[in-house]
Amino acid sequence: MASAAHIRLGVNVDHVATVRNARGGVHPDPVKAAMIAIAAGADGITAHLREDRRHIRDDDMVRLKAQLTKPLNFEMAATAEMLRIALDVRPHAVCLVPERRLERTTEGGLDVAGLFGQLMPAVGELKKAGIRVSLFINAEPRQIEAAVKVGAPVIEIHTGAWCEAVTERRTAIAAAELQRIKEGALLAHELGLEVHAGHGLDYVTAEHMAGIRQIVELNIGHFLIGEAMSIGLAEAVKAMRAAMNRGRATAA
Ligand code: PXP
């Protein structure tokens, strides 16, 4: 399962659509960005279809599925509308995330333990359709255990709080968050879950995450799209790939 050799990079193209939508029209195109990311070494593409369609739109998901040569990870809230769309698009994977209308981004993990009744049928239906399901959660034992109970094969650990503490140089909080992520990844792996991580990662934090052997995939968006504005998306993906490879080489 967990491999010290390779850690996958999923590139999230939501914010290409954010820039497009700022002016309306069709430029820049998240599907074109996805193709560039894959050509530069991404192992898959992630896109989040939000209820308010603030960035990715329904048609983007359809085009991504039709045109990508690597796996599509469809991020969504566990609502009836999104479930219907996902079952229609049939992506390789679905990542279930919490969604609040007024949030700027996905601010916290799913409360799997508290939403058991809502998540159980959604996970079941997606799995029945052959879609790999992951749950975006904080690295808390209660949530990890609930993910196992709800039948999800994969979790994605929310790294946002750790990345924020690193950026703001709040050293004690960063150390505690990192410890929580490491322990969570280990517990999840021991319970048979595949472990991914994401949110707020940059070259430095992604390199660090790649050093955790149990984590087999990182999903990264905002930083890479930001880097694309100065060095270009292909160069940013290559630099991220190199950082992750350096981190992986240190994995125990
Ligand atoms: N993983 C999940 C589940 C997310 O919701 C997001 C943000 O959409 C990301 C990864 C990527 O986060 P960022 O854009 O901060 O790299």
Side-chain angles (χ1 to χ4, degrees):
M1 247 182 62
S3 146
H6 184 71
I7 175 165
R8 298 193 298 267
L9 169 60
V11 173
N12 180 317
V13 293
D14 290 352
H15 296 305
V16 179
T18 303
V19 176
R20 174 194 63 192
N21 297 356
R23 278 287 174 98
V26 295
H27 182 80
D29 181 11
V31 180
K32 183 173 176 189
M35 302 296 206
I36 292 169
I38 285 172
D43 299 288
I45 296 298
T46 295
H48 184 177
L49 186 65
R50 280 182 168 267
E51 184 197 13
D52 62 9
R53 311 300 200 268
R54 68 173 73 159
H55 37 57
I56 294 294
R57 297 173 181 154
D58 301 50
D59 173 58
D60 295 327
M61 281 299 189
V62 173
R63 290 186 307 121
L64 283 167
K65 175 64 200 309
Q67 294 179 41
L68 288 185
T69 52
K70 290 273 172 86
L72 170 63
N73 179 30
F74 186 142
E75 264 185 47
M76 58 179 241
T79 62
E81 182 202 16
M82 287 302 152
L83 201 57
R84 184 179 48 72
I85 297 170
L87 292 173
D88 223 34
V89 171
R90 305 244 160 187
H92 167 77
V94 158
C95 180
L96 294 175
V97 302
E99 212 175 282
R100 281 186 293 275
R101 267 187 191 211
L102 296 179
E103 68 187 358
R104 261 185 300 182
T105 176
T106 312
E107 283 165 2
L110 257 185
D111 179 12
V112 187
L115 296 172
F116 208 81
Q118 186 188 341
L119 292 173
M120 189 83 164
V123 171
E125 274 204 64
L126 291 164
K127 278 171 65 177
K128 208 163 67 188
I131 297 168
R132 190 200 66 192
V133 184
S134 73
L135 303 178
F136 191 40
I137 60 174
N138 293 328
E140 290 166 12
R142 194 170 77 96
Q143 301 298 348
I144 294 165
E145 283 153 13
V148 175
K149 281 207 197 101
V150 90
V154 182
I155 59 160
E156 180 168 329
I157 294 178
H158 197 308
T159 52
W162 172 60
C163 290
E164 210 173 286
V166 170
T167 306
E168 292 170 3
R169 295 172 199 262
R170 288 182 283 131
T171 323
I173 295 175
E177 285 294 334
L178 181 59
Q179 189 58 23
R180 205 156 70 103
I181 293 169
K182 283 182 178 168
E183 286 171 8
L186 188 59
L187 173 65
H189 179 65
E190 281 171 359
L191 293 177
L193 296 169
E194 181 172 310
V195 187
H196 303 175
H199 209 280
L201 295 171
D202 59 14
Y203 299 133
V204 173
T205 46
E207 180 171 342
H208 217 103
M209 283 294 103
I212 302 174
R213 187 178 61 82
Q214 293 82 15
I215 297 177
V216 298
E217 178 175 310
L218 298 180
N219 286 302
I220 308 177
H222 186 265
F223 177 79
L224 286 174
I225 303 308
E227 279 290 275
M229 292 183 191
S230 48
I231 62 170
L233 184 56
E235 286 310 309
V237 169
K238 285 180 198 162
M240 185 58 78
R241 182 73 264 162
M244 287 167 59
N245 290 348
R246 281 196 303 277
R248 204 47 155 192
T250 70

